[in-house]
Amino acid sequence: MITGFADLTVADAEVLIVDDDADNRFLLRELLATEGCNIIEATDGAEALDRVAEHLPDAVLLDVLMPGMDGLEVCRRLRADARTAALPVILVTAQRGREDRLAGIAAGASDFLTKPVDIADLRLRVRNAVATKRLYDRVEREYQRTKELEQHRDSLVHMLVHDLRSPLTGIVCDLELLEHEGQRTLHPSFMAGVSGAIKSAQILSGMITSILEVNRLESGAMPLSLMETDIVDVVREARTALGSAALRVRVENGGGPTHPTVPCDPELIRRVVLNLLSNAIDYSPPEEPVTVKVGRRNGSVRITVSDRGPGIPTEHHSHVFQKFGQVEKNGHPRKTSSGLGLAFCRLAVEAHAGRIGVESEEGQGSMFWFELPVREPDMEAESREEALDRSA
């Protein structure tokens, strides 16, 4: 196990030396060759970029003052390329001033060596640069491996959930048939059990639907049926869907005398509002109202859902919209939550090029909000149409 840079050597490390002076290249090559480094050389900036493109080294020793493309420009170009952005670059320079170092840092240099080069200093800085690169490469490999495992996991979950849908639909249908036929013949206590089973099966069906839809939104496979939509009407429809709990919801239109409209998929946005309202009601005391406000802000329609519940600690704000993330209540995650409702909201809003967020403090309630962009009218096109009408 690697415990620190001291455990790493530069043996077999590939180091690119860039210098227009043959004597300087010879000196650096000889000093590093004794450490077991494999040396690559370039005589100017353009050749250095070609060498890096051919094969990525572990570190670059880069002279600053060179004809044509200088070392600072080479460094900037390496940092601008995603493939070489993390490549350690040690600037080798005779310039010792503060402004020179600041210019090197601004260009993206990892470290500095001053001429004439001190042998111990050279070996130490190259070793540290190589160690940094190798540790970065190891982390990157583990990250890519983790991404692959997550993709396999998501594919497996999607396959299993999709296969569960058909038998569950059959169970719900049979239970509903039993409920209908048993009204006259079955004992009320048995019927209560059937009703409870139907509700549980419907909750499970809703969770399966959420998983599948989150997966489709993540992969961009869910088509949007966009139409110009009255957002206040969408909010009221979501409120009605709450049943008796709708009595706790107040709707405020801050958009002026006319209702704000946006191009959106009304069914998806209705479900976003419904999810936010359901969460607000779940986390609010029974006697406290939930407020929905619709307004305009910076070329967007903004919808806020505010409650007077326990609030969300600041450290949880960053993950409440993540898949399987859960808003905690009194320090404990809600056991009945799949953690997909807010993830669905985020993905649905982002699919509309919108934004979503939360403002909350522990003990002060929460305000969830999202914004959808409004398509601005084409004034120039309207003027042309008016001119054509007048000429006709």
Side-chain angles (χ1 to χ4, degrees):
M1 178 179 176
I2 295 176
T3 57
F5 282 6
D7 300 309
L8 297 172
T9 69
V10 294
D12 297 323
E14 295 190 347
V15 179
L16 172 62
I17 298 173
V18 187
D19 199 310
D20 61 311
D21 189 306
D23 292 337
N24 288 340
R25 294 197 307 275
F26 174 79
L27 174 63
L28 294 174
R29 180 177 68 244
E30 291 302 305
L31 292 175
L32 292 177
T34 59
E35 295 289 302
C37 293
N38 298 317
I39 304 302
I40 310 166
E41 296 184 28
T43 59
D44 57 36
E47 187 181 4
L49 294 176
D50 290 340
R51 293 284 182 271
V52 171
E54 291 167 5
H55 185 74
L56 195 65
D58 294 303
V60 178
L61 288 173
L62 180 61
D63 186 28
V64 174
L65 298 178
M66 294 184 294
M69 187 188 305
D70 66 13
L72 296 181
E73 179 60 23
V74 173
C75 194
R76 280 190 285 268
R77 294 195 184 192
L78 291 174
R79 290 292 174 257
D81 187 335
R83 182 171 171 265
T84 57
L87 178 63
V89 178
I90 303 173
L91 292 182
V92 185
T93 176
Q95 299 171 316
R96 299 170 180 266
R98 176 175 177 273
E99 295 300 323
D100 298 318
R101 284 186 171 268
L102 290 176
I105 293 171
S110 311
D111 206 346
F112 297 87
L113 274 171
T114 17
K115 298 177 181 178
V117 173
D118 179 84
I119 297 175
D121 196 17
L122 167 69
R123 289 171 175 167
L124 177 63
R125 292 178 189 276
V126 170
R127 187 190 68 183
N128 287 345
V130 170
T132 299
K133 178 63 165 52
R134 288 178 174 175
L135 288 173
Y136 175 86
D137 289 345
R138 175 175 296 183
V139 171
E140 180 65 21
R141 286 193 299 271
E142 292 299 323
Y143 172 70
Q144 294 300 328
R145 175 60 178 161
T146 300
K147 283 183 64 176
E148 290 175 6
L149 291 174
E150 287 180 347
Q151 289 172 354
H152 289 315
R153 180 202 64 191
D154 289 347
S155 297
L156 178 61
V157 169
H158 183 268
M159 180 182 66
L160 291 174
V161 168
H162 188 274
D163 290 345
L164 285 171
R165 203 172 194 177
S166 294
L168 182 59
T169 300
I171 291 172
V172 172
C173 290
D174 288 343
L175 286 171
E176 289 176 343
L177 180 61
L178 178 61
E179 182 183 47
H180 180 266
E181 296 297 329
Q183 294 289 342
R184 298 182 302 273
T185 59
L186 297 178
H187 192 275
S189 62
F190 187 86
M191 289 300 300
V194 173
S195 297
I198 291 174
K199 289 180 181 178
S200 296
Q202 288 172 339
I203 291 172
L204 182 57
S205 179
M207 293 170 64
I208 288 175
T209 298
S210 294
I211 293 173
L212 293 174
E213 289 185 343
V214 164
N215 183 272
R216 291 179 69 194
L217 283 167
E218 283 184 321
S219 62
M222 179 174 282
L224 300 181
S225 300
L226 298 179
M227 60 184 68
E228 201 67 28
T229 303
D230 186 321
I231 288 297
V232 175
D233 285 348
V234 170
V235 169
R236 287 173 176 165
E237 290 171 5
R239 177 180 179 272
T240 301
L242 292 169
S244 60
L247 297 174
R248 296 177 55 188
V249 179
R250 298 187 312 201
V251 179
E252 299 178 5
N253 176 21
T258 59
H259 291 184
T261 62
V262 293
C264 70
D265 185 319
E267 176 57 23
L268 274 183
I269 299 304
R270 183 189 68 82
R271 291 179 55 196
V272 170
V273 176
L274 182 58
N275 278 342
L276 295 180
L277 286 175
S278 298
N279 274 347
I281 289 171
D282 286 345
Y283 291 119
S284 294
E287 68 281 1
E288 294 290 352
V290 169
T291 303
V292 189
K293 186 173 182 178
V294 180
R296 291 182 173 88
R297 177 173 175 175
N298 299 329
S300 298
V301 168
R302 182 180 175 93
I303 298 92
T304 63
V305 177
S306 303
D307 65 59
R308 300 178 186 176
I312 304 170
T314 304
E315 62 269 21
H316 295 158
H317 288 192
S318 61
H319 67 253
V320 294
F321 293 102
Q322 299 304 311
K323 191 163 58 174
F324 306 118
Q326 293 183 329
V327 179
E328 295 194 355
K329 182 178 181 180
N330 298 326
H332 302 286
R334 188 174 56 177
K335 300 299 183 184
T336 58
S337 171
S338 65
L340 290 171
L342 291 177
F344 170 83
C345 292
R346 174 180 62 83
L347 291 166
V349 169
E350 289 178 353
H352 287 80
R355 302 188 308 134
I356 191 168
V358 60
E359 297 173 14
S360 180
E361 293 182 17
E362 197 167 7
Q364 301 296 319
S366 303
M367 183 184 76
F368 284 83
W369 59 267
F370 67 94
E371 295 177 354
L372 301 175
V374 177
R375 184 188 295 119
E376 296 294 339
D378 188 342
M379 302 305 294
E380 185 178 341
E382 289 183 1
S383 297
R384 287 196 300 268
E385 290 177 3
E386 290 176 359
L388 287 172
D389 289 341
R390 285 195 300 270
S391 64

